[in-house]
Amino acid sequence: MSELLAAMEREGFDLTSDEGEQRAIAVLFGLLNQAQQKAMGIEFYVWITQHDGRVRDSHAERDDKIFRWDNPPEGGHPSQDYGCRCYARPLGVEGYWERVSEGVETFAADLGRWEGNVDHMYLDTDSNVTVGKGKLLPDAESAAALPFRDRATNELAFADEITIDFDLISAMEGSQSRRASYYEPFTHLYLPQSDIDRMVTEHMRKDFKALLRQYPEFGNLPVSVQVALWDMIYNLGADGLAAFRLLRQAIEDGDWAEAARQSHRIGPAEERNQFVFDLFMDAAGEP
């Protein structure tokens, strides 16, 4: 009720007129909508206007854009600004994931270019046991949790069989120059492509939560920027991406040329860094 009274005082309407009553209903509906969504654990919403000639320009620019309840834009959430008739459509995590599906699919389809696509265990350039598209296996237990199959029989491997492969590969000497295929003759297990692809999706799902913490309006960013951030968090991890504070500021400012400059990583091949640089610059060329 205090929010309604504040709106009445701010906008100068009362409940004795039809217009004032309609405005009060709009304010109350917005407050109730917000309370219900937050009670359901919904953190995000999509701003929806009335799509008519009465919508102010600043709100028209927000139409179909994603906002977070704990970070109101200037003027407040829908219905809170003076005379606002807009609506906050709830956006759960699954709905958000669906909205960014173009970037997800683009990144996932191109991931093998940078991380490889290897169905057996091998040592990466840092001597970490790895499988699939850059999936690190820190210990035998994590390897045994995956559905490896026997290459000769195609039967699911037992945990002790997986441990044998893992221990053999982990005991080998790593090399910056060796390709993943070098290790194949020393293994007798493989991971089906469907399971490799599933691991990528699961990995991205976890990264998605971290991306939304760091970039709440991730879904409003150009698709090329989304793909660039997917590549960086997959490669660096959430903590690694969070360390790029100047990149984050450039993205918040919409300065894509500066974001491109701030995206350079130490470790990945220069070709991969250039790929991400170009993705940010693609956004600079969008209208």
PDB file of all heavy atoms in Angstrom, residues 91-124:
ATOM      1  N   LEU A  91      10.325 -14.341 -16.618  1.00  0.00           N
ATOM      2  CA  LEU A  91      11.304 -15.070 -17.414  1.00  0.00           C
ATOM      3  C   LEU A  91      12.118 -15.971 -16.492  1.00  0.00           C
ATOM      4  O   LEU A  91      13.009 -15.506 -15.781  1.00  0.00           O
ATOM      5  CB  LEU A  91      12.230 -14.097 -18.158  1.00  0.00           C
ATOM      6  CG  LEU A  91      13.256 -14.737 -19.097  1.00  0.00           C
ATOM      7  CD1 LEU A  91      12.556 -15.422 -20.271  1.00  0.00           C
ATOM      8  CD2 LEU A  91      14.236 -13.688 -19.619  1.00  0.00           C
ATOM      9  N   GLY A  92      11.783 -17.261 -16.497  1.00  0.00           N
ATOM     10  CA  GLY A  92      12.541 -18.221 -15.707  1.00  0.00           C
ATOM     11  C   GLY A  92      13.831 -18.599 -16.406  1.00  0.00           C
ATOM     12  O   GLY A  92      14.101 -18.187 -17.540  1.00  0.00           O
ATOM     13  N   VAL A  93      14.638 -19.410 -15.749  1.00  0.00           N
ATOM     14  CA  VAL A  93      15.933 -19.792 -16.307  1.00  0.00           C
ATOM     15  C   VAL A  93      15.755 -20.549 -17.619  1.00  0.00           C
ATOM     16  O   VAL A  93      16.496 -20.324 -18.590  1.00  0.00           O
ATOM     17  CB  VAL A  93      16.727 -20.649 -15.298  1.00  0.00           C
ATOM     18  CG1 VAL A  93      17.999 -21.184 -15.935  1.00  0.00           C
ATOM     19  CG2 VAL A  93      17.067 -19.829 -14.056  1.00  0.00           C
ATOM     20  N   GLU A  94      14.761 -21.435 -17.694  1.00  0.00           N
ATOM     21  CA  GLU A  94      14.551 -22.196 -18.928  1.00  0.00           C
ATOM     22  C   GLU A  94      14.129 -21.278 -20.064  1.00  0.00           C
ATOM     23  O   GLU A  94      14.580 -21.439 -21.210  1.00  0.00           O
ATOM     24  CB  GLU A  94      13.502 -23.285 -18.708  1.00  0.00           C
ATOM     25  CG  GLU A  94      13.975 -24.434 -17.836  1.00  0.00           C
ATOM     26  CD  GLU A  94      15.224 -25.104 -18.382  1.00  0.00           C
ATOM     27  OE1 GLU A  94      15.269 -25.385 -19.593  1.00  0.00           O
ATOM     28  OE2 GLU A  94      16.159 -25.340 -17.603  1.00  0.00           O
ATOM     29  N   GLY A  95      13.259 -20.323 -19.761  1.00  0.00           N
ATOM     30  CA  GLY A  95      12.847 -19.366 -20.777  1.00  0.00           C
ATOM     31  C   GLY A  95      14.000 -18.505 -21.242  1.00  0.00           C
ATOM     32  O   GLY A  95      14.122 -18.179 -22.429  1.00  0.00           O
ATOM     33  N   TYR A  96      14.859 -18.137 -20.296  1.00  0.00           N
ATOM     34  CA  TYR A  96      16.038 -17.328 -20.633  1.00  0.00           C
ATOM     35  C   TYR A  96      16.960 -18.131 -21.539  1.00  0.00           C
ATOM     36  O   TYR A  96      17.474 -17.623 -22.544  1.00  0.00           O
ATOM     37  CB  TYR A  96      16.759 -16.923 -19.343  1.00  0.00           C
ATOM     38  CG  TYR A  96      17.572 -15.643 -19.445  1.00  0.00           C
ATOM     39  CD1 TYR A  96      17.560 -14.709 -18.416  1.00  0.00           C
ATOM     40  CD2 TYR A  96      18.365 -15.373 -20.569  1.00  0.00           C
ATOM     41  CE1 TYR A  96      18.309 -13.537 -18.495  1.00  0.00           C
ATOM     42  CE2 TYR A  96      19.113 -14.220 -20.656  1.00  0.00           C
ATOM     43  CZ  TYR A  96      19.089 -13.309 -19.621  1.00  0.00           C
ATOM     44  OH  TYR A  96      19.824 -12.165 -19.701  1.00  0.00           O
ATOM     45  N   TRP A  97      17.188 -19.389 -21.182  1.00  0.00           N
ATOM     46  CA  TRP A  97      18.032 -20.276 -21.995  1.00  0.00           C
ATOM     47  C   TRP A  97      17.506 -20.356 -23.419  1.00  0.00           C
ATOM     48  O   TRP A  97      18.264 -20.335 -24.387  1.00  0.00           O
ATOM     49  CB  TRP A  97      18.097 -21.647 -21.340  1.00  0.00           C
ATOM     50  CG  TRP A  97      18.867 -22.690 -22.095  1.00  0.00           C
ATOM     51  CD1 TRP A  97      18.361 -23.642 -22.940  1.00  0.00           C
ATOM     52  CD2 TRP A  97      20.289 -22.902 -22.078  1.00  0.00           C
ATOM     53  NE1 TRP A  97      19.368 -24.435 -23.437  1.00  0.00           N
ATOM     54  CE2 TRP A  97      20.564 -24.006 -22.932  1.00  0.00           C
ATOM     55  CE3 TRP A  97      21.356 -22.281 -21.418  1.00  0.00           C
ATOM     56  CZ2 TRP A  97      21.845 -24.486 -23.139  1.00  0.00           C
ATOM     57  CZ3 TRP A  97      22.638 -22.765 -21.633  1.00  0.00           C
ATOM     58  CH2 TRP A  97      22.877 -23.853 -22.482  1.00  0.00           C
ATOM     59  N   GLU A  98      16.189 -20.435 -23.540  1.00  0.00           N
ATOM     60  CA  GLU A  98      15.572 -20.524 -24.862  1.00  0.00           C
ATOM     61  C   GLU A  98      15.791 -19.240 -25.662  1.00  0.00           C
ATOM     62  O   GLU A  98      16.020 -19.276 -26.875  1.00  0.00           O
ATOM     63  CB  GLU A  98      14.071 -20.799 -24.715  1.00  0.00           C
ATOM     64  CG  GLU A  98      13.368 -21.217 -25.993  1.00  0.00           C
ATOM     65  CD  GLU A  98      13.867 -22.537 -26.545  1.00  0.00           C
ATOM     66  OE1 GLU A  98      14.254 -23.416 -25.755  1.00  0.00           O
ATOM     67  OE2 GLU A  98      13.870 -22.686 -27.784  1.00  0.00           O
ATOM     68  N   ARG A  99      15.741 -18.114 -24.979  1.00  0.00           N
ATOM     69  CA  ARG A  99      15.922 -16.822 -25.668  1.00  0.00           C
ATOM     70  C   ARG A  99      17.328 -16.660 -26.218  1.00  0.00           C
ATOM     71  O   ARG A  99      17.531 -15.922 -27.199  1.00  0.00           O
ATOM     72  CB  ARG A  99      15.603 -15.658 -24.714  1.00  0.00           C
ATOM     73  CG  ARG A  99      14.117 -15.371 -24.562  1.00  0.00           C
ATOM     74  CD  ARG A  99      13.916 -14.193 -23.631  1.00  0.00           C
ATOM     75  NE  ARG A  99      14.421 -12.953 -24.168  1.00  0.00           N
ATOM     76  CZ  ARG A  99      13.677 -12.007 -24.759  1.00  0.00           C
ATOM     77  NH1 ARG A  99      12.376 -12.194 -24.914  1.00  0.00           N
ATOM     78  NH2 ARG A  99      14.235 -10.899 -25.194  1.00  0.00           N
ATOM     79  N   VAL A 100      18.305 -17.295 -25.606  1.00  0.00           N
ATOM     80  CA  VAL A 100      19.691 -17.145 -26.077  1.00  0.00           C
ATOM     81  C   VAL A 100      20.142 -18.364 -26.877  1.00  0.00           C
ATOM     82  O   VAL A 100      21.336 -18.589 -27.065  1.00  0.00           O
ATOM     83  CB  VAL A 100      20.651 -16.893 -24.892  1.00  0.00           C
ATOM     84  CG1 VAL A 100      20.284 -15.616 -24.166  1.00  0.00           C
ATOM     85  CG2 VAL A 100      20.670 -18.072 -23.915  1.00  0.00           C
ATOM     86  N   SER A 101      19.176 -19.146 -27.368  1.00  0.00           N
ATOM     87  CA  SER A 101      19.497 -20.409 -28.043  1.00  0.00           C
ATOM     88  C   SER A 101      20.351 -20.210 -29.298  1.00  0.00           C
ATOM     89  O   SER A 101      21.178 -21.073 -29.624  1.00  0.00           O
ATOM     90  CB  SER A 101      18.215 -21.166 -28.400  1.00  0.00           C
ATOM     91  OG  SER A 101      17.408 -20.396 -29.282  1.00  0.00           O
ATOM     92  N   GLU A 102      20.177 -19.092 -30.000  1.00  0.00           N
ATOM     93  CA  GLU A 102      20.964 -18.880 -31.216  1.00  0.00           C
ATOM     94  C   GLU A 102      22.454 -18.821 -30.886  1.00  0.00           C
ATOM     95  O   GLU A 102      23.285 -19.456 -31.551  1.00  0.00           O
ATOM     96  CB  GLU A 102      20.537 -17.595 -31.921  1.00  0.00           C
ATOM     97  CG  GLU A 102      21.300 -17.343 -33.217  1.00  0.00           C
ATOM     98  CD  GLU A 102      20.876 -16.064 -33.932  1.00  0.00           C
ATOM     99  OE1 GLU A 102      19.916 -15.410 -33.473  1.00  0.00           O
ATOM    100  OE2 GLU A 102      21.521 -15.711 -34.946  1.00  0.00           O
ATOM    101  N   GLY A 103      22.796 -18.069 -29.841  1.00  0.00           N
ATOM    102  CA  GLY A 103      24.199 -17.990 -29.439  1.00  0.00           C
ATOM    103  C   GLY A 103      24.715 -19.314 -28.905  1.00  0.00           C
ATOM    104  O   GLY A 103      25.868 -19.691 -29.149  1.00  0.00           O
ATOM    105  N   VAL A 104      23.864 -20.022 -28.149  1.00  0.00           N
ATOM    106  CA  VAL A 104      24.243 -21.336 -27.607  1.00  0.00           C
ATOM    107  C   VAL A 104      24.588 -22.295 -28.736  1.00  0.00           C
ATOM    108  O   VAL A 104      25.639 -22.956 -28.730  1.00  0.00           O
ATOM    109  CB  VAL A 104      23.097 -21.915 -26.753  1.00  0.00           C
ATOM    110  CG1 VAL A 104      23.343 -23.385 -26.439  1.00  0.00           C
ATOM    111  CG2 VAL A 104      22.929 -21.124 -25.463  1.00  0.00           C
ATOM    112  N   GLU A 105      23.703 -22.371 -29.723  1.00  0.00           N
ATOM    113  CA  GLU A 105      23.907 -23.314 -30.830  1.00  0.00           C
ATOM    114  C   GLU A 105      25.099 -22.919 -31.688  1.00  0.00           C
ATOM    115  O   GLU A 105      25.861 -23.784 -32.152  1.00  0.00           O
ATOM    116  CB  GLU A 105      22.629 -23.383 -31.668  1.00  0.00           C
ATOM    117  CG  GLU A 105      21.459 -24.021 -30.925  1.00  0.00           C
ATOM    118  CD  GLU A 105      20.140 -23.819 -31.629  1.00  0.00           C
ATOM    119  OE1 GLU A 105      20.136 -23.230 -32.745  1.00  0.00           O
ATOM    120  OE2 GLU A 105      19.096 -24.229 -31.075  1.00  0.00           O
ATOM    121  N   THR A 106      25.293 -21.614 -31.891  1.00  0.00           N
ATOM    122  CA  THR A 106      26.428 -21.149 -32.691  1.00  0.00           C
ATOM    123  C   THR A 106      27.747 -21.509 -32.018  1.00  0.00           C
ATOM    124  O   THR A 106      28.675 -22.020 -32.657  1.00  0.00           O
ATOM    125  CB  THR A 106      26.356 -19.628 -32.894  1.00  0.00           C
ATOM    126  OG1 THR A 106      25.143 -19.294 -33.591  1.00  0.00           O
ATOM    127  CG2 THR A 106      27.547 -19.117 -33.696  1.00  0.00           C
ATOM    128  N   PHE A 107      27.822 -21.263 -30.707  1.00  0.00           N
ATOM    129  CA  PHE A 107      29.048 -21.572 -29.979  1.00  0.00           C
ATOM    130  C   PHE A 107      29.307 -23.073 -29.934  1.00  0.00           C
ATOM    131  O   PHE A 107      30.425 -23.540 -30.205  1.00  0.00           O
ATOM    132  CB  PHE A 107      28.980 -21.023 -28.561  1.00  0.00           C
ATOM    133  CG  PHE A 107      30.102 -21.501 -27.681  1.00  0.00           C
ATOM    134  CD1 PHE A 107      31.387 -21.021 -27.863  1.00  0.00           C
ATOM    135  CD2 PHE A 107      29.883 -22.453 -26.694  1.00  0.00           C
ATOM    136  CE1 PHE A 107      32.443 -21.483 -27.079  1.00  0.00           C
ATOM    137  CE2 PHE A 107      30.921 -22.912 -25.908  1.00  0.00           C
ATOM    138  CZ  PHE A 107      32.206 -22.422 -26.094  1.00  0.00           C
ATOM    139  N   ALA A 108      28.274 -23.855 -29.598  1.00  0.00           N
ATOM    140  CA  ALA A 108      28.446 -25.299 -29.465  1.00  0.00           C
ATOM    141  C   ALA A 108      28.893 -25.933 -30.788  1.00  0.00           C
ATOM    142  O   ALA A 108      29.724 -26.844 -30.800  1.00  0.00           O
ATOM    143  CB  ALA A 108      27.146 -25.937 -28.981  1.00  0.00           C
ATOM    144  N   ALA A 109      28.348 -25.424 -31.897  1.00  0.00           N
ATOM    145  CA  ALA A 109      28.699 -25.988 -33.205  1.00  0.00           C
ATOM    146  C   ALA A 109      30.149 -25.704 -33.572  1.00  0.00           C
ATOM    147  O   ALA A 109      30.784 -26.478 -34.303  1.00  0.00           O
ATOM    148  CB  ALA A 109      27.774 -25.422 -34.274  1.00  0.00           C
ATOM    149  N   ASP A 110      30.707 -24.600 -33.054  1.00  0.00           N
ATOM    150  CA  ASP A 110      32.060 -24.189 -33.412  1.00  0.00           C
ATOM    151  C   ASP A 110      33.102 -24.591 -32.375  1.00  0.00           C
ATOM    152  O   ASP A 110      34.301 -24.398 -32.585  1.00  0.00           O
ATOM    153  CB  ASP A 110      32.102 -22.665 -33.601  1.00  0.00           C
ATOM    154  CG  ASP A 110      33.176 -22.221 -34.580  1.00  0.00           C
ATOM    155  OD1 ASP A 110      33.394 -22.934 -35.575  1.00  0.00           O
ATOM    156  OD2 ASP A 110      33.789 -21.165 -34.341  1.00  0.00           O
ATOM    157  N   LEU A 111      32.646 -25.162 -31.243  1.00  0.00           N
ATOM    158  CA  LEU A 111      33.554 -25.425 -30.128  1.00  0.00           C
ATOM    159  C   LEU A 111      34.676 -26.394 -30.482  1.00  0.00           C
ATOM    160  O   LEU A 111      35.825 -26.228 -30.043  1.00  0.00           O
ATOM    161  CB  LEU A 111      32.761 -25.957 -28.931  1.00  0.00           C
ATOM    162  CG  LEU A 111      33.565 -26.271 -27.672  1.00  0.00           C
ATOM    163  CD1 LEU A 111      34.280 -25.025 -27.152  1.00  0.00           C
ATOM    164  CD2 LEU A 111      32.638 -26.847 -26.590  1.00  0.00           C
ATOM    165  N   GLY A 112      34.373 -27.406 -31.273  1.00  0.00           N
ATOM    166  CA  GLY A 112      35.378 -28.390 -31.633  1.00  0.00           C
ATOM    167  C   GLY A 112      36.572 -27.788 -32.352  1.00  0.00           C
ATOM    168  O   GLY A 112      37.678 -28.340 -32.317  1.00  0.00           O
ATOM    169  N   ARG A 113      36.361 -26.645 -32.982  1.00  0.00           N
ATOM    170  CA  ARG A 113      37.450 -25.960 -33.681  1.00  0.00           C
ATOM    171  C   ARG A 113      38.561 -25.559 -32.718  1.00  0.00           C
ATOM    172  O   ARG A 113      39.732 -25.563 -33.081  1.00  0.00           O
ATOM    173  CB  ARG A 113      36.879 -24.736 -34.394  1.00  0.00           C
ATOM    174  CG  ARG A 113      37.884 -23.817 -35.056  1.00  0.00           C
ATOM    175  CD  ARG A 113      37.154 -22.618 -35.645  1.00  0.00           C
ATOM    176  NE  ARG A 113      38.073 -21.634 -36.210  1.00  0.00           N
ATOM    177  CZ  ARG A 113      37.691 -20.439 -36.649  1.00  0.00           C
ATOM    178  NH1 ARG A 113      36.394 -20.104 -36.605  1.00  0.00           N
ATOM    179  NH2 ARG A 113      38.576 -19.588 -37.139  1.00  0.00           N
ATOM    180  N   TRP A 114      38.162 -25.238 -31.471  1.00  0.00           N
ATOM    181  CA  TRP A 114      39.133 -24.757 -30.490  1.00  0.00           C
ATOM    182  C   TRP A 114      39.502 -25.808 -29.441  1.00  0.00           C
ATOM    183  O   TRP A 114      40.624 -25.832 -28.955  1.00  0.00           O
ATOM    184  CB  TRP A 114      38.571 -23.510 -29.782  1.00  0.00           C
ATOM    185  CG  TRP A 114      38.062 -22.493 -30.730  1.00  0.00           C
ATOM    186  CD1 TRP A 114      36.764 -22.074 -30.881  1.00  0.00           C
ATOM    187  CD2 TRP A 114      38.827 -21.754 -31.695  1.00  0.00           C
ATOM    188  NE1 TRP A 114      36.670 -21.140 -31.871  1.00  0.00           N
ATOM    189  CE2 TRP A 114      37.926 -20.917 -32.389  1.00  0.00           C
ATOM    190  CE3 TRP A 114      40.183 -21.726 -32.035  1.00  0.00           C
ATOM    191  CZ2 TRP A 114      38.343 -20.059 -33.399  1.00  0.00           C
ATOM    192  CZ3 TRP A 114      40.597 -20.869 -33.051  1.00  0.00           C
ATOM    193  CH2 TRP A 114      39.690 -20.055 -33.715  1.00  0.00           C
ATOM    194  N   GLU A 115      38.554 -26.630 -29.080  1.00  0.00           N
ATOM    195  CA  GLU A 115      38.784 -27.592 -28.002  1.00  0.00           C
ATOM    196  C   GLU A 115      39.011 -29.013 -28.510  1.00  0.00           C
ATOM    197  O   GLU A 115      39.288 -29.909 -27.716  1.00  0.00           O
ATOM    198  CB  GLU A 115      37.598 -27.581 -27.037  1.00  0.00           C
ATOM    199  CG  GLU A 115      37.378 -26.254 -26.312  1.00  0.00           C
ATOM    200  CD  GLU A 115      38.423 -25.992 -25.238  1.00  0.00           C
ATOM    201  OE1 GLU A 115      39.227 -26.901 -24.954  1.00  0.00           O
ATOM    202  OE2 GLU A 115      38.438 -24.881 -24.680  1.00  0.00           O
ATOM    203  N   GLY A 116      38.861 -29.208 -29.815  1.00  0.00           N
ATOM    204  CA  GLY A 116      38.967 -30.551 -30.349  1.00  0.00           C
ATOM    205  C   GLY A 116      37.676 -31.330 -30.108  1.00  0.00           C
ATOM    206  O   GLY A 116      36.733 -30.843 -29.470  1.00  0.00           O
ATOM    207  N   ASN A 117      37.632 -32.538 -30.615  1.00  0.00           N
ATOM    208  CA  ASN A 117      36.471 -33.414 -30.431  1.00  0.00           C
ATOM    209  C   ASN A 117      37.008 -34.840 -30.375  1.00  0.00           C
ATOM    210  O   ASN A 117      37.036 -35.553 -31.374  1.00  0.00           O
ATOM    211  CB  ASN A 117      35.467 -33.229 -31.569  1.00  0.00           C
ATOM    212  CG  ASN A 117      34.189 -34.010 -31.329  1.00  0.00           C
ATOM    213  OD1 ASN A 117      33.776 -34.220 -30.190  1.00  0.00           O
ATOM    214  ND2 ASN A 117      33.549 -34.447 -32.406  1.00  0.00           N
ATOM    215  N   VAL A 118      37.451 -35.244 -29.198  1.00  0.00           N
ATOM    216  CA  VAL A 118      38.216 -36.479 -29.025  1.00  0.00           C
ATOM    217  C   VAL A 118      37.420 -37.460 -28.167  1.00  0.00           C
ATOM    218  O   VAL A 118      37.011 -37.125 -27.054  1.00  0.00           O
ATOM    219  CB  VAL A 118      39.579 -36.183 -28.357  1.00  0.00           C
ATOM    220  CG1 VAL A 118      40.409 -37.454 -28.271  1.00  0.00           C
ATOM    221  CG2 VAL A 118      40.322 -35.095 -29.120  1.00  0.00           C
ATOM    222  N   ASP A 119      37.234 -38.677 -28.665  1.00  0.00           N
ATOM    223  CA  ASP A 119      36.377 -39.626 -27.945  1.00  0.00           C
ATOM    224  C   ASP A 119      37.130 -40.497 -26.941  1.00  0.00           C
ATOM    225  O   ASP A 119      36.532 -41.342 -26.286  1.00  0.00           O
ATOM    226  CB  ASP A 119      35.601 -40.507 -28.932  1.00  0.00           C
ATOM    227  CG  ASP A 119      36.497 -41.460 -29.729  1.00  0.00           C
ATOM    228  OD1 ASP A 119      37.734 -41.427 -29.529  1.00  0.00           O
ATOM    229  OD2 ASP A 119      35.959 -42.213 -30.553  1.00  0.00           O
ATOM    230  N   HIS A 120      38.452 -40.303 -26.800  1.00  0.00           N
ATOM    231  CA  HIS A 120      39.228 -41.076 -25.843  1.00  0.00           C
ATOM    232  C   HIS A 120      39.983 -40.129 -24.912  1.00  0.00           C
ATOM    233  O   HIS A 120      40.130 -38.927 -25.184  1.00  0.00           O
ATOM    234  CB  HIS A 120      40.221 -41.995 -26.559  1.00  0.00           C
ATOM    235  CG  HIS A 120      41.159 -41.248 -27.470  1.00  0.00           C
ATOM    236  ND1 HIS A 120      42.314 -40.633 -27.019  1.00  0.00           N
ATOM    237  CD2 HIS A 120      41.103 -40.993 -28.814  1.00  0.00           C
ATOM    238  CE1 HIS A 120      42.933 -40.043 -28.023  1.00  0.00           C
ATOM    239  NE2 HIS A 120      42.216 -40.238 -29.121  1.00  0.00           N
ATOM    240  N   MET A 121      40.496 -40.654 -23.820  1.00  0.00           N
ATOM    241  CA  MET A 121      41.262 -39.834 -22.886  1.00  0.00           C
ATOM    242  C   MET A 121      42.625 -39.497 -23.470  1.00  0.00           C
ATOM    243  O   MET A 121      43.235 -40.321 -24.154  1.00  0.00           O
ATOM    244  CB  MET A 121      41.398 -40.550 -21.539  1.00  0.00           C
ATOM    245  CG  MET A 121      40.114 -40.556 -20.722  1.00  0.00           C
ATOM    246  SD  MET A 121      40.316 -41.329 -19.097  1.00  0.00           S
ATOM    247  CE  MET A 121      39.547 -42.930 -19.407  1.00  0.00           C
ATOM    248  N   TYR A 122      43.079 -38.289 -23.182  1.00  0.00           N
ATOM    249  CA  TYR A 122      44.386 -37.832 -23.657  1.00  0.00           C
ATOM    250  C   TYR A 122      44.894 -36.751 -22.706  1.00  0.00           C
ATOM    251  O   TYR A 122      44.162 -36.302 -21.810  1.00  0.00           O
ATOM    252  CB  TYR A 122      44.293 -37.288 -25.085  1.00  0.00           C
ATOM    253  CG  TYR A 122      43.479 -36.012 -25.214  1.00  0.00           C
ATOM    254  CD1 TYR A 122      44.099 -34.759 -25.228  1.00  0.00           C
ATOM    255  CD2 TYR A 122      42.086 -36.051 -25.325  1.00  0.00           C
ATOM    256  CE1 TYR A 122      43.363 -33.590 -25.349  1.00  0.00           C
ATOM    257  CE2 TYR A 122      41.343 -34.899 -25.445  1.00  0.00           C
ATOM    258  CZ  TYR A 122      41.977 -33.666 -25.454  1.00  0.00           C
ATOM    259  OH  TYR A 122      41.247 -32.514 -25.566  1.00  0.00           O
ATOM    260  N   LEU A 123      46.130 -36.325 -22.884  1.00  0.00           N
ATOM    261  CA  LEU A 123      46.688 -35.237 -22.090  1.00  0.00           C
ATOM    262  C   LEU A 123      46.650 -33.955 -22.907  1.00  0.00           C
ATOM    263  O   LEU A 123      47.101 -33.930 -24.062  1.00  0.00           O
ATOM    264  CB  LEU A 123      48.138 -35.537 -21.681  1.00  0.00           C
ATOM    265  CG  LEU A 123      48.364 -36.695 -20.708  1.00  0.00           C
ATOM    266  CD1 LEU A 123      49.854 -36.836 -20.404  1.00  0.00           C
ATOM    267  CD2 LEU A 123      47.581 -36.498 -19.420  1.00  0.00           C
ATOM    268  N   ASP A 124      46.104 -32.901 -22.312  1.00  0.00           N
ATOM    269  CA  ASP A 124      46.122 -31.615 -23.010  1.00  0.00           C
ATOM    270  C   ASP A 124      47.511 -30.982 -22.878  1.00  0.00           C
ATOM    271  O   ASP A 124      48.441 -31.591 -22.335  1.00  0.00           O
ATOM    272  CB  ASP A 124      45.018 -30.697 -22.483  1.00  0.00           C
ATOM    273  CG  ASP A 124      45.234 -30.243 -21.045  1.00  0.00           C
ATOM    274  OD1 ASP A 124      46.320 -30.505 -20.478  1.00  0.00           O
ATOM    275  OD2 ASP A 124      44.314 -29.618 -20.475  1.00  0.00           O
TER     276      ASP A 124
END
